Amino acid sequence: MIYLMNHRSNADYVLVGYVLSGQVAISYAVGEWARTFPLEYIFKSFGAYFIRRKYREKLYHTVLERYVQLITRNGVTQGIFLEGGLTRDGKLGKAKIGLLDYLLAVARDPAMRPRLFVVPVAIGYDRVLEDRSLLRELDVREGRRRPSRLAQLSEVLHYVWWNLVRVVGGRWKRYGRAAVVIGEPVPLAPWLEQQDRETNGLFAVDRADRLARVQALADSVLERIAVIVPVTPVPLACAAVQSFDSDFIPREQLLERMGDMRDVLKELNARVIHREGSIEEVLDRAWRMLRMRRILVEVGSGYAVAPGQRPLLSYYANSVAHLLGPFAEGVRQRDALPSQHFASAS
């Protein structure tokens, strides 16, 4: 089994592992950023291995290829974040195929082909812990200055102190919902047979042709992932706010828009968390998080986007915009983040 996932947070490793605990143990490829105490020991404890993502040494990649093929042949379930890294703008990125191509090479052995399946996995959050840091990285890519290390350390200490005070004072609350949707397993044997018919042997063609075919496979899996992305209350509320031209939205209008969006999601068979609850309950859940994070403020009978918070609103709205049918274009038009690659659902 090869679990192919979108990548929202560094907590994805733990979240998916928790969801599948007792059923299957997944071995992940983890970047070298995690080789620090105590993260290194945590990731090693559930079978992760570390890779140098931008290291171009040919010998290194040959050894890595043989390693992942060896553990796959021995029945180790693989987990790959198909985008190759965290999304910085909330949207699904372009599929990366390096590790997937390495794994598919085990299909040179005909006995392995019936054992190969890919499983699309979609992850969604009401709160991505690194969201502001990811947006800052996006700013840096656009030429803006990165905050100093002292400023970043101050922010982390303030975050820890603030949460400790809330815990001691009995005012700590959950960070909303995290959701994982496991799609239907897709057998790779029919795909491999088709490629062999078209090429007279997939692994006999030149590397560029093979990689193009693997890229098409990865893109099709990413489309499957896009369709099953879970819609939690915060992204739904953010998308509804984004669909209005004004920074102030009356509560009744926001409720109506969220209800209309949820109806569209139901018609498209999207995975909506609390889809049977009232839309008022969904908004209240989202409001608690958006108020706590000072993204929205209550003004009279409605809500206003707090100054400087439109990018964060866009980040969460982007994660579900592709599922919103007639509302999708309006949400995208008010995206406050730089234009990036977007993989739409088919």
Side-chain angles (χ1 to χ4, degrees):
M1 285 283 191
I2 306 169
Y3 286 79
L4 300 180
M5 301 161 275
N6 65 319
H7 203 3
R8 298 278 299 162
S9 168
N10 289 313
D12 294 345
Y13 300 94
V14 178
L15 177 62
V16 177
Y18 173 77
V19 169
L20 295 175
S21 62
Q23 302 177 50
V24 63
I26 297 181
S27 178
Y28 297 104
V30 183
E32 283 196 308
W33 63 268
R35 299 198 68 175
T36 56
F37 179 83
L39 295 178
E40 180 174 5
Y41 298 96
I42 294 174
F43 283 115
K44 282 183 177 179
S45 69
F46 54 78
Y49 55 95
F50 300 95
I51 62 172
R52 298 180 179 182
R53 297 191 184 279
K54 297 182 180 180
Y55 194 59
R56 301 303 181 189
E57 172 60 45
K58 185 176 181 179
L59 176 60
Y60 170 79
H61 284 278
T62 299
V63 173
L64 175 61
E65 180 179 5
R66 296 296 184 268
Y67 172 75
V68 297
Q69 290 169 4
L70 175 64
I71 61 177
T72 302
R73 289 193 185 96
N74 283 276
V76 176
T77 301
Q78 299 291 316
I80 299 176
F81 293 103
L82 200 49
E83 299 160 281
L86 291 171
T87 173
R88 265 62 179 178
D89 57 10
K91 304 172 187 176
L92 288 173
K94 180 177 171 58
K96 304 293 179 63
I97 62 170
L99 280 176
L100 180 60
D101 180 58
Y102 290 171
L103 290 172
L104 290 176
V106 302
R108 295 175 187 271
D109 178 1
M112 286 295 301
R113 295 192 172 198
R115 297 169 54 187
L116 291 176
F117 290 78
V118 294
V119 183
V121 179
I123 304 168
Y125 293 90
D126 274 338
R127 166 77 186 273
V128 174
L129 294 178
E130 314 94 321
D131 51 15
R132 296 186 191 275
S133 296
L134 295 172
L135 291 177
R136 277 199 293 268
E137 289 185 25
L138 202 59
D139 285 342
V140 171
R141 291 181 183 181
E142 292 299 304
R144 301 181 183 89
R145 292 183 59 186
R146 183 188 298 272
S148 67
R149 291 185 178 275
L150 182 60
Q152 294 180 55
L153 177 61
S154 175
E155 182 178 318
V156 171
L157 292 176
H158 178 269
Y159 173 81
V160 172
W161 170 254
W162 182 58
N163 279 279
L164 284 174
V165 170
R166 293 171 65 219
V167 168
V168 173
R171 296 186 294 111
W172 189 86
K173 298 184 183 298
R174 295 177 181 269
Y175 282 154
R177 295 291 187 270
V180 177
V181 176
I182 311 294
E184 291 292 326
V186 179
L188 285 177
W191 179 82
L192 289 163
E193 291 170 3
Q194 179 185 349
Q195 304 310 307
D196 285 343
R197 288 194 300 270
E198 294 176 357
T199 63
N200 293 321
L202 176 63
F203 299 105
V205 300
D206 63 85
R207 184 172 182 271
D209 188 8
R210 188 188 76 246
L211 291 180
R213 293 172 181 274
V214 175
Q215 184 69 61
L217 171 65
D219 291 342
S220 69
V221 176
L222 196 62
E223 289 178 354
R224 291 173 180 263
I225 293 172
V227 170
I228 61 173
V229 166
V231 182
T232 55
V234 168
L236 179 59
C238 289
V241 172
Q242 284 283 81
S243 68
F244 288 94
D245 289 324
S246 173
D247 280 345
F248 172 78
I249 304 99
R251 177 180 170 84
E252 292 305 315
Q253 290 185 27
L254 183 58
L255 284 169
E256 182 180 359
R257 183 62 52 83
M258 289 178 64
D260 291 342
M261 285 183 168
R262 189 169 67 166
D263 289 342
V264 168
L265 291 167
K266 288 181 179 179
E267 289 176 8
L268 297 176
N269 199 31
R271 275 60 173 182
V272 184
I273 308 302
H274 300 300
R275 63 186 297 165
E276 303 306 329
S278 71
I279 200 64
E280 289 83 0
E281 292 173 343
V282 176
L283 176 56
D284 288 343
R285 288 179 180 273
W287 164 241
R288 285 198 294 270
M289 177 61 66
L290 296 171
R291 177 186 58 191
M292 182 180 71
R293 305 202 62 203
R294 299 180 177 86
I295 298 173
L296 291 185
V297 293
E298 195 167 17
V299 180
S301 60
Y303 307 99
V305 180
Q309 298 304 310
R310 180 66 70 170
L312 202 56
L313 202 71
S314 294
Y315 173 85
Y316 284 98
N318 286 342
S319 66
V320 298
H322 63 284
L323 297 170
L324 293 174
F327 296 105
E329 188 58 33
V331 173
R332 291 175 188 149
Q333 285 178 355
R334 280 168 281 281
D335 185 0
L337 299 174
S339 177
Q340 302 285 318
H341 173 81
F342 180 78
S344 61
S346 61

